[in-house]
Structures are given as structure tokens and as C-alpha cells.
Amino acid sequence: MSTPIPFAHAGRALAAAALVALSAPAFAQSNVTVFGVLDVGVQQLTNGSKRLNLMSIDGLQTSRLGFRGTEDLGDGMSASFHLEGALSPDTGGSSLDFRRRSTVGLAKKGMGELRIGRDYTPTFWSISRFNAFGTNGVGAASNLLYGFDGLSSTASSVVRASNSVGYHLPDTLGGVYGQAMYAFGEGAPGKYAGARIGYANKDLDVAAAYSTTENNAAGDDFKVTNLGGSYKFGDARVMVLLHRSEQTTRKQDGWSLGGTYSLGLTTLRASVTRAHYTNSVGSVDYSGNQIAFGAVHALSKRTSLYATISRVANSSGAKYVIPGGNTVSAGQGSRGTEAGIYHTF
Amino acid sequence: MSTPIPFAHAGRALAAAALVALSAPAFAQSNVTVFGVLDVGVQQLTNGSKRLNLMSIDGLQTSRLGFRGTEDLGDGMSASFHLEGALSPDTGGSSLDFRRRSTVGLAKKGMGELRIGRDYTPTFWSISRFNAFGTNGVGAASNLLYGFDGLSSTASSVVRASNSVGYHLPDTLGGVYGQAMYAFGEGAPGKYAGARIGYANKDLDVAAAYSTTENNAAGDDFKVTNLGGSYKFGDARVMVLLHRSEQTTRKQDGWSLGGTYSLGLTTLRASVTRAHYTNSVGSVDYSGNQIAFGAVHALSKRTSLYATISRVANSSGAKYVIPGGNTVSAGQGSRGTEAGIYHTF
Amino acid sequence: MSTPIPFAHAGRALAAAALVALSAPAFAQSNVTVFGVLDVGVQQLTNGSKRLNLMSIDGLQTSRLGFRGTEDLGDGMSASFHLEGALSPDTGGSSLDFRRRSTVGLAKKGMGELRIGRDYTPTFWSISRFNAFGTNGVGAASNLLYGFDGLSSTASSVVRASNSVGYHLPDTLGGVYGQAMYAFGEGAPGKYAGARIGYANKDLDVAAAYSTTENNAAGDDFKVTNLGGSYKFGDARVMVLLHRSEQTTRKQDGWSLGGTYSLGLTTLRASVTRAHYTNSVGSVDYSGNQIAFGAVHALSKRTSLYATISRVANSSGAKYVIPGGNTVSAGQGSRGTEAGIYHTF
């Protein structure tokens, strides 16, 4: 009677088979992996004519703390869980939640995995995978591709979706991979449906994804389409990405081209990204470019130092910007330089 | 000087005996068990004429993450801690706290345990233990027994109490078990006193509990009384529970009858619950019934699938409801169906 | 494609050397130590004529939960992380963050450690190290030395600083130890610079520290200076501390004298603390004294019981007070008694 799990008193209170299902996790330690990332650095951001020196975080990977585990159920089946929340190592805040990912999964060998909870959307992955800077740091392709002027912020599904059921193809399809996700709206905006399909071998990786998110009114669905790929030539990997976001009268087309080059423990990174935003109401027509260079130096498998420089240029009406600094006026540019340490555990 | 624990620098700064008491937890890993539950599913709730499809959580057990450990102090004595907070795997939020339980305990074999902090109240346990659905899911007895119209919500002690000191009888009393709890009000409403006493053997389990919680004014104490039991017949266990809540002019009497039936890995569950609420001011007289059926299928000791259906019917003025959906008008009913996966670690 | 770490899919998407830097923490369990403290007790506070009985926390050490680890990088180098947040075991709240400490470190044997993130300020340590009650409980020297009337609360750096870069001397300097810290203001008040230098051998420990924190306006920097030491005579350790806080027209000088005496498993503690606050505007001149006695009894290396009594007396205009109870009027005193249990893991 000392455990707070209802039914656990059930050594006496429930039939034995129920106990199997409901027993308390008394011998559970080995089932859990505690993992995380801390990524902290210093950054200088110059937005328009305003310069700011900052302690920065997440320049290479997003800082996080998580708990996960997998249980073998026999017959090729397994159950798993994954809880992961963001950290802000510069300030120690804010409070820990598990909004990066919070899922329970049920998988069968050769059949794939069913995953329930809050998870990354299929359309998210290509920005992360087919750009050398992904969605982190001053050179992130997402600086431009996430859009602005509310194009993506009105939908909650650009990166993740709550209340979702996802299906992931098994890894036994000769290189074909894919996933589909449906997320409940629960009577409020946010209902999401999306899918991603790809093919990868030792050198090549290509994928396409599409999603639609229900917003407030009929016909205002937020839609994302992307297509990307990477190819390995010796020590180099070249990456290309096409990305489109649409909602009612607003549309943004973007692309990025870049890659990585390995020099042993040091990896060089480079990326050019362009976005072109239009709004047929008022004939708004904006575009922005970003060019970024960087290097990652591995001190070990778990710890790296990195440095990145990036520059965003805008057309006369556009306000694309490296996030975290001052706001820019239309047409102003943004420059960022950062150096940091990445440590995973 | 690298640890943030004041006194830890004390290798030089404090006498050796103090060190024994205050040393930093440098070799502490093996002292901690990380444990938890993720329980997610899909649910359809029909309250009155409004239907809602939802991703649901906690249909079998409340999702949670916790940390706990026990230290052997010698001479049959032990110290322990337990930190446990709720999770919302459907959204990954809200922030993690340890409001499910947060205690330090000191126990001695044959003497029982003293436990300090935030803990479950003695009066809580019978709803959980003597009903087949306990306090979780569409069929939970608590849907009715927690009361409504502010009867229980004005007191913070229906499930747990902060600032509490609890005593638990040892498990060496030939089947008699029990606990008592006092919680400080700290100058605000919330002072709680309650106790529970029971007897359990291989087949039988019975317990009675009583508590009183000081509220805002003299004489408005919130009082809970319950009496319950279960008995095992072969593969079946029958459960009965009587539950009363009172505060000033308001009173609710409730009961539930139900049980579980084991079919190997599958356990069937059924419960009928009735609550009758009166308020002598205005001669309010409401009643509600709930009937619920369900099944739990164990995939392993740690993972189960479950499904439950439940129906609440109200007398003309009552508003008992399966929580999580739309509000009901007086006299309207509530129906819920859910299926989910439960995984513990 | 099942891990949420961008780049992790990179078995195919990135060159091998980048993988070394960016690989997912799949085998990470052994890298993490989960640690913590729970410290709960009961307390009676009498401020002026108002008495309050409370469940208290943190009477010996601040309750906390943390995660930390160290990675050997070879060549005498190591990387480490430390995440630590406060707990409130009396209520289980509030939400967990890591504002006690949140750092990544890079160290080299004989060279010292560079530490980035949120950390304790150099000026904090002496209050904790050179007083028998440190900053915890009814007898804490910080009750007086942290100041009042906004002297310390306007600066965020009395105990910790966010956005900081710290350097710690190596432990190979024949007993000399020290640290320096710079914290970014990031365009807002809070820029901190401070350092601490000390010397310790088997019996003696002395240290001096100084810091300045930029506040809102030019010339209103908050400055802290302290000097302290302890000396071991047989079973006793005597401690002395001088502490000054200044901001514009306000200044507080304080000192404490005290020590510990070991009786095997029990350690006695005593401390006298005095603070004298002046504000040249309005010729304010306040002073307060605190005297505290206590005992700590070790049940094991990880678990102790403790009791402390403390009394604060104020000059006619002063309002120094043991925190946690009612406010006092100018000149009123404060008395506190507490007993609790401390458990670390």
C-alpha cells in the first residue's frame, strides 16, 4: 500500500492476469535511457544597423533532455516510449515539458511502427535532413523556409503535431522509407494530415513530403510540400531542397543548395537558401537569400566545437531575418556569427 | 569547488562528521530508479447531443514520470524518496512538476513508515482500489464519486494533500494495514486529517477511511467517508464501495459495484456506480448512474491494450458527466468509448 | 528515421566525420547521473507577534533534482554537463526547470575548466562556505547578508548568473583555487563580472571575492565584496565572513562568526551574524543581528536529521527577517525553530 499506482495494491485486489497488465514498475530502472544535448555558444547578430552580442544556444543541435526505452514483446513486436523536452542552458529555463516529442509506439518487424502522441510532422524532416545547417543556428535553412508574415506561425504543425497517430514504414523495403501522420483537431484548429516517402542507399537519399493543416475557416488550410535529396561524392555530400508553403492568398517557394565536406575530425558546411513570398492580396512580392558557411570539429563522438557565419539579404519589401536579435525594417539585411560547444549524453 | 552544493567544498571546510551528513551525491546513480507510465488512446465522447473525437490519455493509468529510491540505514531502518509528476503524452505538455507525489520517508521494520511531503490522502485509496475502473478513463467511478457543484473542488484533499505528515502501519500485522495523515494549512484553507484502516488476505480485502479538511470558514469542513471491499472467487474478483462527501448543507452519497474477470492475458472489467447529491438549501436533489464495461489485454508485464465503454444517466437536475468533453445541461446524459495503449517503464 | 535528432538519419545523409560529431545518443545511459536532495521539515516562525506553523523545506540543503555527467576526451581533457533544478517537496511544485545550474564545461588537467551557461556567481560561494548555516534554514547567514530594501533583489546575480562564461583554476596549484565569471547582459540589465581567489589546506581555507553587476542606469552597478575563512582545531571548525553589498546610495556591511563541532555522527552548529544597512539618501541607518544554534545527526552518508533555532533582532528602523513567515514592522524581531530530514540520492 505504499505505491501511488492504483491497482498496485492489487497483489490482493485483482486477478493475476490483470496484474500482469497493471503491475507497478518496481524493477524498471534498466528500461529507461536518460539522454540529452547541451549546445551553448556566443553569437553576434547584426540586424539592420543594430548589433547584439549574446550567449546563444542550439547552434548545432537543439538542447534537450529526454527519457526513452524499448520493450521486446516477442514475435518481432516491440513497444517503446520517447519523452523529450527542450532545454535553455543559457538561463536554465524555462520549465521542462516534453513538447519536442512525447510518444508511445508499437512496432512489428517487417510491418512498421504505429506511434501515438506528439511527434514531428512528416513534412518537417526534409528541411532538417537536406540542408547542411538544418533548422539550427545562424545558418539554418529554416530562417527563410519557415516563412514569415504569419504564413507558418498560424499553423501549429510546421515542426510537430499534438494528438497525432503516425505510421512509419519498416526498414525492410530495400531502401524505401516513409511515414504518414494524422493529428486530431479536437474541435479546434490544428487537424493535420501528411505523409513522406523516400529512398536511400549508401550514397543517395531522396524524399518527398506533403501535408495539410486545417486552420480556422473553411478553405484556409495551411499546406506544405517539399522535395529534397543528397548525394555523396567521396568526402563530400551535396544537398538540395525545394520547399513550398501555401495558405489562402499567401504562398512561399524556397530552395536551398549546399553540402558538407569531411576533413577527418572537421566537417565543413555551406548552404545557399532562397525564399520567395507572394500574397496575391495587395500584390506583395518579397524575396530573401541566405548564405552560410561553417565548420564542426569533433572532440569525440559526443562533443564538438562549431562556428558558423551567415548573411541574409532581403528584397525591398522583405524582412527575412536570423532569429534572436533585433527586428529589421523591410529590405534590411541580417548577419550572424556564432561559435559554440555541443555535448550530447 | 566544482559542485553547486554548499558545504561540498567542505572537504576542507567542515569537520569530517559533518561531511558524512552533508557530502555531495557523487556516486549516486545506482540510488535512483526512473519510472513512468504513458497511456494514450482515442476517445469518442457524446455529452448531451454533442459528439467529440479526441486523442485521450490515462484511460487505464495516469501517465507519469518519476524518480524514486530507497536507502538501507541498517537495523531494519530505511530512508526513501519518491518524486512523481503527471505527463500529457498527447501534447507533450504541460510542464513537469511532482504534484502527484513528492515525499521523503523514514521506515523501520515492524514499526511502519513516517512520510513527509505531498502525498495521496488516506480517503483517496478506496475509490481507486475497490472499483474496477478506479479513477481513470471513461468508466472511472470517480466520474460520479468525486461529486460536482463544487462539493469536492473547494477542498484540495480529495486525492492528495500538500504539507503532509503521514504514518503507515507496518506490513507485519497479519493482514491489517492502515495509514493516517495530517496536513498543515499554513494559515490558509487546506488543513487535512484523515485515516484509513483495512484488512487483506489472499482473497479478501476490506478498508474504511475518514477525513476532514478545513475550508474557509468555521463549520464548513469538507468530510469524506468511505468503506469498500473486494473478494476473489476463482478467476473473478467482486468489488463494492460506499462513498460519502459532505460540506455544510451539501451531501453526496454514492456506491459502486463491479469487478474483474480474468481470461488469461485478457481481463474483463465491469462497474455500476450511483451518486445521490443533495443540498438542503434550495432542496436540491440530484442523482446519476454510470455503467461501464471494458477489457484489458496484456501484451507483456509492461504493456497493455484496453478498451472501455461507459454511459452516465442523470436525474432531471443533475449534471454528472464523463470529463473531457462538452458540458451537459441538467438531466442530459454522457456516453464515452475509448481504446488505448498503456506502457510502463 | 525514427529519431528526432536532425542529422541522425545521416547514416546516409552526412559524411562519416560529421557523424562522429553529430551522432545520436543511442548508448548514452551510462553517461548520466541522476542526483538530488529532498529536505523537508516542520517549522515555527514568529515574526513580530504573529506565529505560524509550517511544513518547511531546505532547512539543511536546498531540495533539488539534477542530471550530470563527464566525458573523458583523452589527453587530460574532459567535457561535462550539469543540469540542476529546485524541488518543493512540501507541495510537489512548482514546475521543474534547471535554474539552479545549467552548464557545459570543457576542462584540461592542469589548465582548469571553462564553463558556459547558468551558474553560481563567484561572490556567492563565501556566504555558503564560511558560515555554519550557509544559505539554508532559519539560521542562514543569508537571512541578513542578502540584504533588504531592494539592495540585492534588483540585481539578478546575488546567487547565480545566466548567460555566463566562467573559468575555474585547476586543482594543481598547491591549494590555491579560484574562478572568474563574465555574464552577458544581452541588451538588458544583468551584465556581471566577478572573481574569487582562495587558498585551502587540510585545516585552513580562506577566500576573497568581488563582483559588479550592471543595472538599469549608468553608475548604479550593484557591487559585492566578501572575505572569509575557516580553520579546523581538532573536532571544531571556526568560520568568519565579511560581506559588503553596495548600490548607488545604499550600502550594507555584514559579518558572521561561527563554526561547527563534531561529536561523531552529530555535528553542532552555531553562528552570529550582523548586518548594517545605510542609505545616504534620507540618512537611513538600520542594523540587525541573528544568532543561531543547531545540530545535524547523520543516519547515514545520505540521510540526516537536523534541528535549528534562530533569532533575529532589529534596530528601530530595520526589518531583517527569517523568510517564509509574516512580514515584520520596523524594529520587530523574528524567531524560528525547525526540525527536518535531509536525504540525498
Side-chain angles (χ1 to χ4, degrees):
Chain A
M1 90 220 56
S2 63
T3 152
I5 301 192
F7 284 80
H9 179 56
R12 302 179 282 231
L14 275 189
L19 260 183
V20 171
L22 306 172
S23 64
F27 310 104
Q29 185 55 78
S30 60
N31 303 320
V32 183
T33 297
V34 181
F35 67 94
V37 168
L38 275 85
D39 181 334
V40 198
V42 292
Q43 193 180 71
Q44 183 175 79
L45 285 183
T46 309
N47 288 349
S49 57
K50 289 180 190 154
R51 180 164 294 177
L52 198 57
N53 295 316
L54 298 164
M55 173 147 290
S56 58
I57 60 170
D58 304 350
L60 188 60
Q61 294 284 341
T62 305
S63 299
R64 72 197 68 175
L65 179 67
F67 303 87
R68 66 182 173 207
T70 300
E71 180 194 13
D72 186 343
L73 299 172
D75 280 330
M77 281 192 71
S78 61
S80 63
F81 75 96
H82 188 115
L83 294 167
E84 183 179 315
L87 296 176
S88 297
D90 51 345
T91 64
S94 54
S95 297
L96 182 67
D97 56 37
F98 298 107
R99 295 179 64 79
R100 281 181 58 80
R101 183 172 156 196
S102 186
T103 59
V104 189
L106 208 52
K108 191 169 166 67
K109 209 168 171 57
M111 295 276 286
E113 180 187 4
L114 195 67
R115 205 188 280 171
I116 311 181
R118 177 172 175 83
D119 202 357
Y120 291 80
T121 53
T123 24
F124 164 74
W125 286 113
S126 287
I127 300 184
S128 174
R129 298 280 166 73
F130 297 126
N131 180 273
F133 298 90
T135 57
N136 283 94
V138 295
S142 56
N143 294 346
L144 269 62
L145 299 185
Y146 279 175
F148 72 94
D149 201 16
L151 182 58
S152 62
S153 63
T154 52
S156 54
S157 60
V158 171
V159 179
R160 300 174 183 86
S162 292
N163 305 308
S164 76
V165 180
Y167 168 70
H168 294 246
L169 290 176
D171 57 1
T172 55
L173 303 178
V176 173
Y177 61 87
Q179 64 180 110
M181 177 190 272
Y182 173 80
F184 288 79
E186 302 204 340
K191 193 196 287 186
Y192 172 96
R196 181 171 190 252
I197 185 84
Y199 170 80
N201 63 24
K202 193 168 59 72
D203 296 324
L204 177 70
D205 186 2
V206 291
Y210 175 77
S211 72
T212 180
T213 308
E214 248 186 23
N215 267 301
N216 294 292
D220 73 343
D221 288 7
F222 173 67
K223 292 168 194 166
V224 174
T225 315
N226 54 47
L227 175 65
S230 71
Y231 192 79
K232 189 171 179 297
F233 301 90
D235 293 327
R237 182 168 284 275
V238 174
M239 298 163 171
V240 61
L241 171 66
L242 304 177
H243 192 275
R244 172 177 289 181
S245 308
E246 294 170 275
Q247 190 179 18
T248 61
T249 59
R250 299 175 297 168
K251 182 165 93 168
Q252 177 181 283
D253 279 311
W255 57 260
S256 80
L257 182 65
T260 61
Y261 187 81
S262 167
L263 299 162
L265 294 177
T266 300
T267 300
L268 304 181
R269 309 194 285 175
S271 169
V272 178
T273 305
R274 180 174 170 83
H276 179 207
Y277 173 94
T278 58
N279 188 340
S280 59
V281 174
S283 299
V284 167
D285 189 337
Y286 300 151
S287 65
N289 300 301
Q290 178 178 267
I291 184 162
F293 296 97
V296 180
H297 179 73
L299 297 175
S300 75
K301 290 190 186 185
R302 291 173 44 200
T303 305
S304 295
L305 303 177
Y306 63 87
T308 309
I309 58 171
S310 177
R311 177 182 168 282
V312 172
N314 282 304
S315 71
S316 62
K319 293 181 180 182
Y320 292 102
V321 69
I322 299 169
N326 296 292
T327 54
V328 293
S329 303
Q332 285 189 322
S334 180
R335 290 197 309 277
T337 307
E338 73 189 348
I341 179 170
Y342 158 89
H343 179 65
T344 187
F345 54 92
Chain B
M1 91 219 57
S2 64
T3 151
I5 301 193
F7 285 80
H9 178 56
R12 301 178 281 232
L14 274 188
L19 260 182
V20 171
L22 306 171
S23 63
F27 312 104
Q29 185 54 77
S30 61
N31 303 319
V32 184
T33 297
V34 181
F35 67 94
V37 169
L38 275 85
D39 182 335
V40 197
V42 291
Q43 193 179 70
Q44 183 174 80
L45 285 184
T46 309
N47 287 349
S49 57
K50 288 181 190 154
R51 180 165 294 177
L52 197 58
N53 294 317
L54 298 165
M55 173 147 291
S56 58
I57 59 170
D58 304 349
L60 187 61
Q61 294 284 340
T62 304
S63 299
R64 74 196 68 176
L65 179 67
F67 303 86
R68 66 180 173 209
T70 300
E71 180 194 13
D72 186 343
L73 298 173
D75 280 331
M77 280 191 73
S78 61
S80 63
F81 75 96
H82 189 116
L83 293 167
E84 184 180 313
L87 297 176
S88 297
D90 50 347
T91 64
S94 54
S95 298
L96 182 66
D97 57 38
F98 298 107
R99 296 180 63 79
R100 282 182 56 80
R101 183 171 155 196
S102 186
T103 58
V104 189
L106 208 52
K108 191 168 166 67
K109 209 168 169 57
M111 295 276 286
E113 180 187 4
L114 195 68
R115 205 188 282 171
I116 310 181
R118 178 171 175 84
D119 202 358
Y120 290 81
T121 53
T123 24
F124 164 74
W125 286 113
S126 287
I127 300 183
S128 174
R129 298 280 166 73
F130 298 126
N131 180 272
F133 297 90
T135 57
N136 283 94
V138 295
S142 55
N143 294 346
L144 270 61
L145 298 186
Y146 279 174
F148 71 96
D149 201 15
L151 182 57
S152 62
S153 64
T154 51
S156 55
S157 60
V158 171
V159 178
R160 299 173 182 87
S162 291
N163 305 308
S164 76
V165 179
Y167 168 70
H168 295 246
L169 290 176
D171 57 1
T172 54
L173 302 178
V176 174
Y177 61 86
Q179 64 181 111
M181 177 190 270
Y182 173 80
F184 287 79
E186 301 204 342
K191 192 196 289 187
Y192 172 95
R196 182 170 189 252
I197 185 84
Y199 170 81
N201 62 25
K202 194 169 58 71
D203 296 323
L204 176 70
D205 186 3
V206 289
Y210 175 77
S211 74
T212 180
T213 307
E214 246 185 27
N215 268 301
N216 294 292
D220 74 342
D221 288 7
F222 173 67
K223 293 169 194 167
V224 173
T225 315
N226 54 47
L227 174 66
S230 72
Y231 192 79
K232 189 171 180 298
F233 302 90
D235 294 327
R237 181 167 284 274
V238 173
M239 298 163 173
V240 61
L241 172 67
L242 304 176
H243 192 276
R244 171 176 290 181
S245 309
E246 293 170 276
Q247 189 179 17
T248 60
T249 59
R250 298 175 297 169
K251 183 166 92 168
Q252 178 181 283
D253 279 310
W255 57 259
S256 81
L257 182 66
T260 61
Y261 187 81
S262 167
L263 299 162
L265 294 178
T266 301
T267 300
L268 304 180
R269 309 194 285 173
S271 169
V272 178
T273 305
R274 180 174 171 82
H276 179 207
Y277 172 94
T278 59
N279 187 342
S280 60
V281 174
S283 299
V284 167
D285 189 336
Y286 300 151
S287 64
N289 300 301
Q290 178 178 268
I291 183 161
F293 296 97
V296 180
H297 178 74
L299 297 175
S300 74
K301 290 189 187 185
R302 291 172 44 199
T303 305
S304 295
L305 303 176
Y306 63 87
T308 309
I309 57 172
S310 176
R311 178 182 169 282
V312 171
N314 282 305
S315 70
S316 62
K319 294 181 180 182
Y320 292 101
V321 69
I322 299 170
N326 297 291
T327 55
V328 293
S329 303
Q332 286 189 321
S334 180
R335 292 197 308 275
T337 307
E338 72 189 349
I341 179 170
Y342 159 89
H343 179 66
T344 186
F345 55 92
Chain C
M1 91 219 56
S2 63
T3 151
I5 301 193
F7 285 80
H9 178 56
R12 301 179 281 232
L14 273 190
L19 261 182
V20 171
L22 307 171
S23 63
F27 312 103
Q29 185 54 77
S30 60
N31 303 321
V32 184
T33 298
V34 181
F35 67 93
V37 168
L38 275 85
D39 182 334
V40 198
V42 291
Q43 193 179 70
Q44 184 174 80
L45 286 183
T46 309
N47 287 350
S49 58
K50 288 180 190 154
R51 180 165 295 177
L52 197 58
N53 294 318
L54 298 164
M55 173 146 292
S56 57
I57 60 170
D58 305 348
L60 188 60
Q61 295 283 340
T62 305
S63 300
R64 73 196 68 175
L65 178 67
F67 304 86
R68 66 180 174 209
T70 300
E71 180 194 13
D72 187 342
L73 298 173
D75 280 331
M77 281 192 71
S78 61
S80 62
F81 74 97
H82 189 115
L83 294 166
E84 183 179 314
L87 297 175
S88 298
D90 51 345
T91 64
S94 52
S95 298
L96 182 67
D97 57 38
F98 299 107
R99 297 179 62 80
R100 282 180 57 79
R101 183 172 155 195
S102 185
T103 59
V104 189
L106 208 51
K108 191 168 166 65
K109 210 168 168 59
M111 295 275 288
E113 180 187 5
L114 195 67
R115 205 188 280 172
I116 311 182
R118 178 173 174 82
D119 201 358
Y120 290 81
T121 53
T123 24
F124 163 74
W125 286 113
S126 288
I127 299 184
S128 174
R129 297 279 166 73
F130 297 127
N131 180 273
F133 298 90
T135 57
N136 284 94
V138 295
S142 56
N143 293 346
L144 268 61
L145 298 186
Y146 279 174
F148 71 95
D149 200 16
L151 183 57
S152 62
S153 62
T154 52
S156 54
S157 60
V158 171
V159 179
R160 299 174 183 87
S162 292
N163 306 307
S164 76
V165 180
Y167 168 69
H168 295 246
L169 290 176
D171 57 1
T172 54
L173 302 179
V176 173
Y177 61 86
Q179 65 180 111
M181 176 190 272
Y182 173 80
F184 288 79
E186 302 203 341
K191 193 196 287 186
Y192 172 95
R196 182 171 189 250
I197 185 82
Y199 170 80
N201 63 24
K202 194 169 58 73
D203 295 323
L204 177 70
D205 186 3
V206 290
Y210 175 76
S211 73
T212 179
T213 307
E214 247 186 25
N215 267 301
N216 295 292
D220 74 341
D221 288 7
F222 172 67
K223 292 169 194 165
V224 174
T225 315
N226 54 47
L227 175 66
S230 71
Y231 192 79
K232 188 171 180 298
F233 303 89
D235 293 327
R237 183 169 283 275
V238 173
M239 298 163 173
V240 62
L241 172 66
L242 304 177
H243 192 274
R244 171 177 291 182
S245 309
E246 293 170 276
Q247 190 179 17
T248 61
T249 59
R250 299 175 296 170
K251 183 165 92 167
Q252 177 181 284
D253 280 309
W255 57 259
S256 80
L257 182 65
T260 61
Y261 187 81
S262 167
L263 299 161
L265 294 177
T266 301
T267 300
L268 304 180
R269 309 194 287 174
S271 169
V272 178
T273 305
R274 179 173 172 84
H276 179 208
Y277 172 95
T278 58
N279 187 340
S280 59
V281 174
S283 299
V284 167
D285 190 338
Y286 299 150
S287 65
N289 300 302
Q290 177 178 268
I291 183 163
F293 296 98
V296 179
H297 179 74
L299 298 175
S300 74
K301 290 189 187 187
R302 291 173 44 200
T303 305
S304 295
L305 304 176
Y306 63 87
T308 309
I309 57 171
S310 177
R311 177 181 170 282
V312 172
N314 282 304
S315 70
S316 61
K319 292 181 181 182
Y320 293 101
V321 68
I322 299 169
N326 297 292
T327 55
V328 293
S329 304
Q332 285 188 321
S334 179
R335 290 198 308 277
T337 307
E338 72 189 348
I341 179 170
Y342 158 89
H343 179 66
T344 187
F345 56 93

